[in-house]
């Protein structure tokens, strides 16, 4: 008979406790205060898809459902193990000392020894996975089952999809049983400490680096409410860790610094922030942009990089372009717009490469914002579509970058230390913002694409998603044109 668990500790709750005692306390006593960050839902969906793929590689495995409750899952696990079920078992459930664990995959070898695997969508075992695994090993072995291995089953990036939906070979195991057993020795003390925290009042913990490592804490908004209001222009707006260095020395307000103590770029940020007047080097911008011959092809890709490769010949997390927008500017200022988008679920690489080769003139300068990304997409297309390799590599060789030009010649204090196109655009052309669009950023675009290629999506919805994606990507390249014109003093 299972003892009632007062607080329902689990491996993920112990991981929370190790990150911050207050996080665990809030998760149990004030869960309604948590707010999931941007991308959290997509991360959960990817984790579920990867977990399902790992289970599908074990035909004949038994899923242990938590129905009608976890006590039933505990009893079913015990029954299957006691009756000598050959496994594998999915979500096998164990409890010890008030800590409940559910094991992703538990399999028995020919010598009747048990192996457990914790499935992760990451590309290697990470330090913070060890705590999860140690909790599992501790609980399982305390129930009397000696393990032969305990692995982090992660995605192997050398895998290449050979047949649609066939993920045999996608995973690699890092067996960490010996390490996990060592860490598990500290579990009784950790569990006792976690229980003591849960029985007490809300712990007092100051916010710090631990709030985002190893995970973004969902209670950051709640905890920040207790902080005194900070300066309007915190020193942390200085980019590339520059602000953090000053913060570590006790400086909170950017305006407390002096220009002569800063690098040239940071001094410009300070001066523009102090005066409210943007820094603008029109001459520098004109000189840089004048080197880009006409016609100018302003290019932006949208890509998807799924953990589970979708198309034959692709690897996990490979960036695959499903869309581009291109504004083609002639020497007389005439601009035409071209777009590519494929949402029928088929491999978009070849049609994307063909469309690029068709619409980008052989002599055009190709302009991107943060060009290393566009260049890498073009190199991958050259590799994956060999017949068009020459054309793709030619486009790549002609790709120049508007971002460093912007960084060197423009700063408005409302950018708050960022030169991303979405930070710069409102300071240059407020009417070109993304607020009125259904798809507002790259994460939205990826979610819209995945919804559009889902066979369950209706044609009407797919059409609406296509429209939203086209509007978003077009805005991105038109934004580049607008930024360049403003930099040159033409806007
Ligand atoms: S925001 Fe930071 S201090 Fe607050 S609960 Fe989370 S980790 Fe702890």
């Amino acid at each position: 008979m299972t003892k009632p668990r007062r607080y329902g500790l689990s491996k993920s709750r112990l991981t929370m406790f190790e990150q911050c005692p207050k996080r665990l306390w809030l998760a149990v006593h004030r869960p309604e205060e948590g707010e999931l960050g941007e991308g959290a839902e997509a991360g959960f969906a990817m984790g579920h898809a990867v977990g399902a793929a790992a289970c599908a590689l074990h035909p004949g495995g038994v899923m242990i459902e938590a129905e009608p409750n976890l006590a039933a899952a505990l009893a079913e696990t015990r029954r299957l193990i006691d009756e000598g079920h050959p496994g594998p078992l999915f979500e096998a459930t164990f409890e010890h000392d008030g800590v409940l664990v559910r094991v992703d995959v538990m399999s028995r070898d020919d010598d009747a020894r048990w192996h457990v695997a914790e499935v992760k969508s990451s590309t290697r075992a990470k330090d913070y996975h060890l705590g999860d695994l140690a909790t599992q090993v501790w609980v399982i072995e305390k129930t009397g089952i000696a393990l032969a291995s305990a692995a982090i089953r992660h995605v192997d990036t050398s895998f290449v999809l050979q047949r649609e939906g066939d993920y045999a070979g996608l995973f690699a195991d890092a067996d960490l049983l010996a390490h996990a057993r060592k860490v598990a020795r500290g579990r009784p003390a950790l569990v006792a400490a976690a229980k003591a925290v849960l029985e007490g009042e809300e712990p007092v913990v100051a916010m710090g680096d631990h709030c985002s490592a190893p995970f973004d804490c969902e209670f950051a908004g709640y905890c920040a409410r207790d902080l005194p209001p900070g300066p309007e222009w915190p020193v942390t707006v200085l980019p590339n860790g520059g602000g953090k260095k000053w913060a570590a020395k006790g400086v909170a307000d950017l305006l407390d610094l002096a220009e002569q103590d800063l690098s040239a770029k940071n001094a410009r940020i300070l001066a523009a922030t102090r005066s409210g007047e943007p820094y603008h080097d029109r001459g520098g911008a004109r000189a840089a942009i004048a080197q880009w011959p006409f016609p100018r092809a302003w290019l932006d890709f949208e890509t998807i990089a799924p953990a589970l490769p979708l198309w034959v010949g692709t690897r996990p997390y490979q960036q695959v372009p499903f869309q581009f927008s291109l504004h083609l500017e002639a020497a007389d200022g005439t601009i035409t717009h071209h777009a590519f988008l494929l949402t029928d679920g088929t491999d978009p690489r070849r049609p994307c490469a063909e469309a690029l080769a068709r619409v980008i003139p052989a002599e055009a300068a190709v302009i991107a914002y943060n060009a290393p990304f566009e260049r890498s997409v073009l190199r991958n297309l050259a590799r994956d579509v060999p017949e068009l390799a020459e054309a793709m590599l030619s486009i790549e060789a002609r790709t120049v970058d508007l971002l460093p030009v912007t960084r060197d010649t423009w700063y408005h204090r409302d950018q708050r230390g960022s030169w991303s196109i979405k930070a710069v655009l409102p300071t240059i052309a407020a009417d070109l913002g993304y607020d009125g669009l259904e798809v507002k950023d790259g994460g939205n675009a990826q979610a819209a694409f995945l919804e559009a290629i889902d066979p369950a999506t209706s044609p009407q919805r797919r059409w609406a998603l296509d429209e939203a994606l086209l509007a978003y990507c077009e805005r991105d390249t038109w934004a580049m044109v607008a930024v360049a014109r403003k930099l040159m003093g033409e806007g």
Side-chain angles (χ1 to χ4, degrees):
M1 189 74 174
T2 315
K3 282 188 227 156
R5 287 169 296 107
R6 191 166 167 208
Y7 293 120
L9 282 174
S10 61
K11 61 180 164 54
S12 52
R13 285 191 167 174
L14 285 177
T15 301
M16 277 183 187
F17 178 68
E18 287 188 293
Q19 180 174 359
C20 173
K22 186 176 178 182
R23 185 178 176 207
L24 172 66
W25 192 95
L26 290 168
V28 171
H29 295 296
R30 306 284 300 277
E32 70 284 359
E33 299 290 353
E35 289 170 39
L36 291 180
E38 242 177 63
E41 303 250 334
F44 292 146
M46 183 173 70
H48 285 139
V50 168
C55 290
L57 293 174
H58 297 279
V62 176
M63 174 62 74
I64 297 173
E65 305 287 355
E67 298 293 340
N69 52 37
L70 285 165
L74 284 164
E76 179 67 355
T77 301
R78 180 46 66 187
R79 185 186 71 76
L80 290 168
I81 289 175
D82 288 349
E83 290 177 1
H85 192 281
L89 307 178
F90 307 133
E91 302 295 332
T93 308
F94 302 89
E95 185 176 30
H96 173 70
D97 196 14
V99 180
L100 188 133
V101 297
R102 286 168 63 75
V103 181
D104 290 336
V105 182
M106 190 161 170
S107 50
R108 203 194 296 243
D109 64 22
D110 294 342
D111 297 324
R113 300 179 313 160
W114 284 102
H115 302 260
V116 298
E118 174 81 356
V119 179
K120 301 290 184 191
S121 55
S122 58
T123 57
R124 60 183 173 82
K126 298 190 176 171
D127 289 348
Y128 60 80
H129 293 152
L130 189 59
D132 262 9
L133 202 63
T135 303
Q136 287 192 347
V137 166
W138 176 64
V139 170
I140 295 169
E141 295 204 317
K142 284 292 179 189
T143 66
I145 297 170
L147 296 174
S149 73
I152 296 298
R153 184 160 293 170
H154 59 88
V155 170
D156 181 350
T157 50
S158 67
F159 172 82
V160 179
L161 188 69
Q162 304 294 341
R163 274 183 305 282
E164 204 173 314
D166 180 358
Y167 295 115
L170 174 67
F171 296 100
D173 280 2
D175 182 4
L176 299 174
L177 178 59
H179 291 309
R181 277 192 179 131
K182 270 189 210 153
V183 176
R185 283 187 213 132
R187 263 17 199 182
L190 185 79
V191 170
K195 286 178 180 171
V197 161
L198 289 173
E199 279 163 12
E201 297 296 310
E202 182 178 324
V204 177
V205 180
M207 292 187 78
D209 289 348
H210 66 281
C211 301
S212 55
F215 308 104
D216 286 330
C217 177
E218 65 275 35
F219 298 106
Y222 171 84
C223 291
R225 277 183 235 160
D226 300 336
L227 297 175
E232 185 181 6
W233 305 106
V235 74
T236 47
V237 302
L238 293 179
N240 304 325
K244 275 195 167 182
K245 276 190 206 146
W246 285 103
K249 291 181 193 167
V251 178
D253 194 332
L254 176 64
L255 301 183
D256 288 342
L257 295 177
E259 272 92 334
Q260 63 266 27
D261 294 331
L262 300 172
S263 67
K265 186 173 73 182
N266 286 350
R268 291 202 296 262
I269 291 175
L270 175 56
T273 304
R274 209 188 290 285
S275 69
E277 288 298 314
Y279 167 79
H280 190 183
D281 175 8
R282 276 183 199 79
R286 280 189 193 140
I289 295 172
Q291 295 176 34
W292 302 341
F294 289 99
R296 292 175 178 161
W298 304 82
L299 174 67
D300 181 62
F301 287 116
E302 296 304 323
T303 63
I304 190 89
L308 296 179
L310 295 173
W311 300 286
V312 169
T314 60
R315 296 171 189 275
Y317 295 109
Q318 179 177 331
Q319 297 280 359
V320 176
F322 61 82
Q323 174 175 20
F324 70 76
S325 168
L326 185 127
H327 278 94
L328 194 59
E329 181 183 16
D332 65 1
T334 312
I335 292 189
T336 52
H337 181 247
H338 305 267
F340 167 81
L341 173 65
L342 192 65
T343 55
D344 66 2
T346 60
D347 186 345
R349 288 174 296 170
R350 176 177 296 277
C352 179
E354 287 170 350
L356 285 166
R358 198 166 50 243
V359 299
I360 298 182
E363 70 283 13
V366 180
I367 303 159
Y369 203 88
N370 192 22
F373 177 73
E374 266 69 24
R375 289 194 196 109
S376 77
V377 171
L378 289 161
R379 282 196 300 276
N380 286 347
L381 286 175
R383 179 196 63 203
D384 295 347
V385 190
E387 305 89 292
L388 292 170
E390 200 179 322
M392 295 303 102
L393 293 175
S394 165
I395 294 170
E396 187 226 354
R398 288 179 279 129
T399 300
V400 295
D401 200 342
L402 181 61
L403 171 57
V405 178
T406 311
R407 200 185 277 130
D408 289 346
T409 62
W410 175 264
Y411 183 76
H412 187 292
R413 66 183 181 181
D414 289 349
Q415 290 169 228
R416 300 186 81 81
S418 168
W419 278 271
S420 78
I421 194 87
K422 290 179 179 63
V424 173
L425 194 60
T427 71
I428 274 176
D431 56 316
L432 285 182
Y434 292 77
D435 284 351
L437 301 179
E438 182 180 345
V439 173
K440 299 181 198 316
D441 58 34
N444 284 174
Q446 289 168 0
F449 173 73
L450 289 174
E451 185 183 348
I453 66 171
D454 186 336
T457 300
S458 70
Q460 293 80 0
R461 177 64 182 151
R462 185 170 300 126
W463 181 84
L465 290 163
D466 283 0
E467 292 295 303
L469 283 163
L470 289 166
Y472 166 68
C473 202
E474 179 173 359
R475 181 67 53 91
D476 264 351
T477 48
W478 184 245
M480 281 196 279
V481 175
V483 166
R485 286 181 173 176
K486 177 72 180 183
L487 296 184
M488 293 187 292
E490 296 172 3

